[in-house]
PDB file of all heavy atoms in Angstrom:
ATOM      1  N   SER B 270      97.308-160.637  54.688  1.00 80.00           N
ATOM      2  CA  SER B 270      97.076-159.296  55.224  1.00 80.00           C
ATOM      3  C   SER B 270      96.688-159.342  56.702  1.00 80.00           C
ATOM      4  O   SER B 270      96.922-158.391  57.431  1.00 80.00           O
ATOM      5  CB  SER B 270      96.007-158.571  54.414  1.00 80.00           C
ATOM      6  OG  SER B 270      94.758-159.197  54.570  1.00 80.00           O
ATOM      7  N   TYR B 271      96.135-160.461  57.128  1.00 85.00           N
ATOM      8  CA  TYR B 271      95.773-160.634  58.537  1.00 85.00           C
ATOM      9  C   TYR B 271      96.979-161.079  59.355  1.00 85.00           C
ATOM     10  O   TYR B 271      97.251-160.559  60.429  1.00 85.00           O
ATOM     11  CB  TYR B 271      94.645-161.657  58.661  1.00 85.00           C
ATOM     12  CG  TYR B 271      94.278-161.977  60.086  1.00 85.00           C
ATOM     13  CD1 TYR B 271      93.614-161.058  60.882  1.00 85.00           C
ATOM     14  CD2 TYR B 271      94.617-163.200  60.634  1.00 85.00           C
ATOM     15  CE1 TYR B 271      93.295-161.351  62.208  1.00 85.00           C
ATOM     16  CE2 TYR B 271      94.294-163.511  61.943  1.00 85.00           C
ATOM     17  CZ  TYR B 271      93.642-162.583  62.723  1.00 85.00           C
ATOM     18  OH  TYR B 271      93.331-162.871  64.023  1.00 85.00           O
ATOM     19  N   ARG B 272      97.692-162.080  58.867  1.00 83.00           N
ATOM     20  CA  ARG B 272      98.867-162.613  59.551  1.00 83.00           C
ATOM     21  C   ARG B 272      99.963-162.786  58.512  1.00 83.00           C
ATOM     22  O   ARG B 272      99.992-163.777  57.790  1.00 83.00           O
ATOM     23  CB  ARG B 272      98.546-163.949  60.216  1.00 83.00           C
ATOM     24  CG  ARG B 272      99.712-164.497  61.015  1.00 83.00           C
ATOM     25  CD  ARG B 272      99.311-165.712  61.776  1.00 83.00           C
ATOM     26  NE  ARG B 272      98.355-165.299  62.802  1.00 83.00           N
ATOM     27  CZ  ARG B 272      98.446-165.669  64.072  1.00 83.00           C
ATOM     28  NH1 ARG B 272      99.404-166.465  64.443  1.00 83.00           N
ATOM     29  NH2 ARG B 272      97.550-165.256  64.939  1.00 83.00           N
ATOM     30  N   SER B 273     100.858-161.816  58.446  1.00 79.00           N
ATOM     31  CA  SER B 273     101.836-161.792  57.363  1.00 79.00           C
ATOM     32  C   SER B 273     102.985-162.772  57.579  1.00 79.00           C
ATOM     33  O   SER B 273     103.285-163.182  58.694  1.00 79.00           O
ATOM     34  CB  SER B 273     102.379-160.384  57.179  1.00 79.00           C
ATOM     35  OG  SER B 273     103.072-159.990  58.322  1.00 79.00           O
ATOM     36  N   SER B 274     103.589-163.132  56.469  1.00 81.00           N
ATOM     37  CA  SER B 274     104.796-163.947  56.459  1.00 81.00           C
ATOM     38  C   SER B 274     105.848-163.171  55.670  1.00 81.00           C
ATOM     39  O   SER B 274     105.507-162.267  54.901  1.00 81.00           O
ATOM     40  CB  SER B 274     104.522-165.303  55.808  1.00 81.00           C
ATOM     41  OG  SER B 274     104.143-165.115  54.458  1.00 81.00           O
ATOM     42  N   PRO B 275     107.124-163.489  55.831  1.00 81.00           N
ATOM     43  CA  PRO B 275     108.149-162.694  55.158  1.00 81.00           C
ATOM     44  C   PRO B 275     108.191-162.887  53.642  1.00 81.00           C
ATOM     45  O   PRO B 275     108.623-162.003  52.921  1.00 81.00           O
ATOM     46  CB  PRO B 275     109.447-163.154  55.805  1.00 81.00           C
ATOM     47  CG  PRO B 275     109.140-164.462  56.436  1.00 81.00           C
ATOM     48  CD  PRO B 275     107.684-164.466  56.750  1.00 81.00           C
ATOM     49  N   PHE B 276     107.741-164.053  53.145  1.00 83.00           N
ATOM     50  CA  PHE B 276     107.773-164.279  51.702  1.00 83.00           C
ATOM     51  C   PHE B 276     106.799-165.383  51.306  1.00 83.00           C
ATOM     52  O   PHE B 276     106.313-166.133  52.138  1.00 83.00           O
ATOM     53  CB  PHE B 276     109.189-164.627  51.220  1.00 83.00           C
ATOM     54  CG  PHE B 276     109.713-165.925  51.757  1.00 83.00           C
ATOM     55  CD1 PHE B 276     109.564-167.102  51.043  1.00 83.00           C
ATOM     56  CD2 PHE B 276     110.372-165.974  52.967  1.00 83.00           C
ATOM     57  CE1 PHE B 276     110.050-168.304  51.531  1.00 83.00           C
ATOM     58  CE2 PHE B 276     110.868-167.168  53.475  1.00 83.00           C
ATOM     59  CZ  PHE B 276     110.703-168.330  52.750  1.00 83.00           C
ATOM     60  N   PHE B 277     106.541-165.447  49.997  1.00 84.00           N
ATOM     61  CA  PHE B 277     105.704-166.488  49.407  1.00 84.00           C
ATOM     62  C   PHE B 277     106.539-167.324  48.454  1.00 84.00           C
ATOM     63  O   PHE B 277     107.419-166.797  47.779  1.00 84.00           O
ATOM     64  CB  PHE B 277     104.582-165.878  48.540  1.00 84.00           C
ATOM     65  CG  PHE B 277     103.470-165.259  49.309  1.00 84.00           C
ATOM     66  CD1 PHE B 277     103.339-163.895  49.375  1.00 84.00           C
ATOM     67  CD2 PHE B 277     102.520-166.043  49.924  1.00 84.00           C
ATOM     68  CE1 PHE B 277     102.293-163.308  50.059  1.00 84.00           C
ATOM     69  CE2 PHE B 277     101.471-165.473  50.609  1.00 84.00           C
ATOM     70  CZ  PHE B 277     101.359-164.111  50.676  1.00 84.00           C
ATOM     71  N   VAL B 278     106.223-168.583  48.342  1.00 89.00           N
ATOM     72  CA  VAL B 278     106.739-169.437  47.276  1.00 89.00           C
ATOM     73  C   VAL B 278     105.525-170.012  46.573  1.00 89.00           C
ATOM     74  O   VAL B 278     104.725-170.727  47.168  1.00 89.00           O
ATOM     75  CB  VAL B 278     107.637-170.580  47.819  1.00 89.00           C
ATOM     76  CG1 VAL B 278     108.101-171.475  46.680  1.00 89.00           C
ATOM     77  CG2 VAL B 278     108.826-170.019  48.574  1.00 89.00           C
ATOM     78  N   LEU B 279     105.369-169.655  45.306  1.00 89.00           N
ATOM     79  CA  LEU B 279     104.216-170.088  44.520  1.00 89.00           C
ATOM     80  C   LEU B 279     104.715-170.876  43.314  1.00 89.00           C
ATOM     81  O   LEU B 279     105.473-170.357  42.492  1.00 89.00           O
ATOM     82  CB  LEU B 279     103.396-168.881  44.065  1.00 89.00           C
ATOM     83  CG  LEU B 279     102.887-167.969  45.176  1.00 89.00           C
ATOM     84  CD1 LEU B 279     102.275-166.701  44.589  1.00 89.00           C
ATOM     85  CD2 LEU B 279     101.865-168.700  46.027  1.00 89.00           C
ATOM     86  N   ASP B 280     104.280-172.109  43.203  1.00 91.00           N
ATOM     87  CA  ASP B 280     104.720-172.993  42.123  1.00 91.00           C
ATOM     88  C   ASP B 280     103.634-173.095  41.063  1.00 91.00           C
ATOM     89  O   ASP B 280     102.592-173.715  41.281  1.00 91.00           O
ATOM     90  CB  ASP B 280     105.060-174.363  42.688  1.00 91.00           C
ATOM     91  CG  ASP B 280     105.640-175.311  41.651  1.00 91.00           C
ATOM     92  OD1 ASP B 280     105.928-174.858  40.527  1.00 91.00           O
ATOM     93  OD2 ASP B 280     105.801-176.498  41.963  1.00 91.00           O
ATOM     94  N   GLU B 281     103.874-172.488  39.918  1.00 90.00           N
ATOM     95  CA  GLU B 281     102.976-172.498  38.764  1.00 90.00           C
ATOM     96  C   GLU B 281     101.533-172.165  39.133  1.00 90.00           C
ATOM     97  O   GLU B 281     100.594-172.809  38.686  1.00 90.00           O
ATOM     98  CB  GLU B 281     103.080-173.824  38.021  1.00 90.00           C
ATOM     99  CG  GLU B 281     104.434-174.025  37.384  1.00 90.00           C
ATOM    100  CD  GLU B 281     104.497-175.210  36.443  1.00 90.00           C
ATOM    101  OE1 GLU B 281     103.459-175.608  35.902  1.00 90.00           O
ATOM    102  OE2 GLU B 281     105.604-175.727  36.253  1.00 90.00           O
ATOM    103  N   VAL B 282     101.372-171.136  39.957  1.00 89.00           N
ATOM    104  CA  VAL B 282     100.048-170.685  40.366  1.00 89.00           C
ATOM    105  C   VAL B 282      99.254-170.185  39.158  1.00 89.00           C
ATOM    106  O   VAL B 282      98.031-170.162  39.171  1.00 89.00           O
ATOM    107  CB  VAL B 282     100.153-169.599  41.459  1.00 89.00           C
ATOM    108  CG1 VAL B 282     100.750-168.326  40.923  1.00 89.00           C
ATOM    109  CG2 VAL B 282      98.818-169.341  42.099  1.00 89.00           C
TER     110      VAL B 282
END
Side-chain angles (χ1 to χ4, degrees):
S270 66
Y271 176 71
R272 184 173 293 228
S273 64
S274 62
F276 65 93
F277 286 107
V278 178
L279 303 171
D280 185 8
E281 294 190 25
V282 68

